[in-house]
Amino acid sequence: MNRNKIRQALEKIKRKSSYLELLKNEDFLALWLGQAISNLGDWIIIIALIELVYKISGSGLAVGTLMIFKILPALFFGSIIGVLADRFNRKRIMISCDIFRGLLIVLLPFMKNLFQIYLITFVLETFSLLFIPAKDASIPNIVDEEQILTANSLFYTTNHFTMILGVTFGSTIILLVEKVWGHIPFFQRLTGPNAAFYVDAFTFFISAAAIAMIYLPPSEHVARRIKYHQIKEDIVGGLRFVRNNSLIRSLIMSIGIAILGIGSIYSLGVIYCYQVLKVGKGGFGYLLSALGMGLTLGSIFAAFLGKRFSKRRLFVVSILTLGLALIFFASISYYESAMIISFIAGIALALLTVSTYTLLHENVEDTIRGRVFTALESCLRISLLVSIALTGAVADILGQRVLKLGAHTIYLNGARVTLLMSGIVVIIAGLFAQRFLVRTV
């Protein structure tokens, strides 16, 4: 009798945490659809923004500077944004951020110099930095506890799928609009990268409308006003919570160390494709597509694996797999093998992302959740910025070298050696997580 009751309870949980059951939740459905449409626009605009910057400057350094401006808001506003996400109505925050981002993107086609583009990018990312923790912190408020893992899995499956669509078809959309409307004087302003900007702005307005339909239960800690001393107290309280909670502290530290290694792909991926794999920039694009397919598949299976294995172990195994994948990637010279490794790395990265956010949702109270998610987001961006700066510099210093060891000749490539060292850093992050997240349970 007891076994039957246990079996029935497990079946009920399994049924309730399925994707179809989750999508019956109208609040979650509205948030999910709005984000799916908005994410598609975001990935399309990445191509257009890079094209616009390169068209104005003709400089690869200018494109790199653009990426730095996307990361800088985390350095300046990370702490205070977490307080805002906890102290103010998260639904209003998300709607406001979407509307302002849409309006800012509409301005991009009218910008004529790099400083204006960098400034708009900086402000855009500031609003995104506020939107993301407000959205992530709200998920446990609109779904049941047993649906959190499935919700995270579905969010990141959709995000990675839209990445593939956006990156793959972004240029196609730009060319199509130009071919259809390019010969009409009135619509010429809508051609080229401008088409992507207007499409992305429209997706933000759709997302804002979808979020407006969501019911978020009111929280007691939400305030109409907040004074300076309260902001200071909340910042200190958030930092104290992260420091004193061994799970959260170890989780964020592990990811921060891992990103120091993983970020090397951003600065050295294209160089490695040119110098070692001999496929050029186009080949790197296909590697990203393989990574995206792995991300999509990994996100789909995350809900399945998360119910059968410890999320902490899933977190650790994912980091170790990423480290090994980076080491193998840097050790080979065959493009086909690199494609397979990118696909596997995508699966591991998806499992890492879903297990991380689910662990945070399950172990952080609503009153402080915004600050914790902002701390994670800031850590990711700052680690990525440091990684891009350091790994690029190290690879340049090492350069192309030839070593003579007796009768043997060894050809050293700066990008390859740096990627190998980066893989070791990711392995260290996995071992750190193994020690402080799994062994201490």
Side-chain angles (χ1 to χ4, degrees), residues 266-284:
Y266 282 86
S267 56
L268 303 177
V270 174
I271 297 173
Y272 191 75
C273 284
Y274 272 112
Q275 295 180 353
V276 179
L277 299 179
K278 309 295 183 184
V279 292
K281 185 171 66 175
F284 183 66

Side-chain angles (χ1 to χ4, degrees), residues 255-382:
I255 290 219
I257 297 170
I259 294 298
L260 287 175
I262 298 169
S264 60
I265 289 295
Y266 282 86
S267 56
L268 303 177
V270 174
I271 297 173
Y272 191 75
C273 284
Y274 272 112
Q275 295 180 353
V276 179
L277 299 179
K278 309 295 183 184
V279 292
K281 185 171 66 175
F284 183 66
Y286 286 116
L287 285 176
L288 288 180
S289 295
L291 179 73
M293 287 187 284
L295 284 165
T296 303
L297 185 64
S299 298
I300 292 172
F301 280 107
F304 173 82
L305 294 173
K307 296 168 190 171
R308 287 157 178 79
F309 301 98
S310 162
K311 298 179 191 69
R312 296 191 186 203
R313 291 192 181 278
L314 203 59
F315 176 88
V316 171
V317 171
S318 299
I319 293 182
L320 292 174
T321 302
L322 281 169
L324 291 173
L326 191 54
I327 290 173
F328 280 120
F329 178 78
S331 303
I332 62 173
S333 303
Y334 301 103
Y335 183 62
E336 293 78 7
S337 301
M339 290 279 286
I340 296 172
I341 291 172
S342 295
F343 178 74
I344 294 171
I347 294 175
L349 186 58
L351 294 176
L352 175 63
T353 303
V354 174
S355 60
T356 299
Y357 281 80
T358 304
L359 282 168
L360 291 179
H361 282 140
E362 292 178 346
N363 293 278
V364 179
E365 293 182 0
D366 184 62
T367 54
I368 202 170
R369 202 177 289 141
R371 277 165 283 176
V372 173
F373 275 109
T374 303
L376 174 64
E377 191 68 23
S378 298
C379 179
L380 292 175
R381 295 181 183 221
I382 293 169

Side-chain angles (χ1 to χ4, degrees), residues 390-405:
L390 284 181
T391 54
V394 170
D396 286 344
I397 292 171
L398 293 175
Q400 304 273 5
R401 298 177 183 271
V402 179
L403 297 180
K404 294 283 187 180
L405 296 177

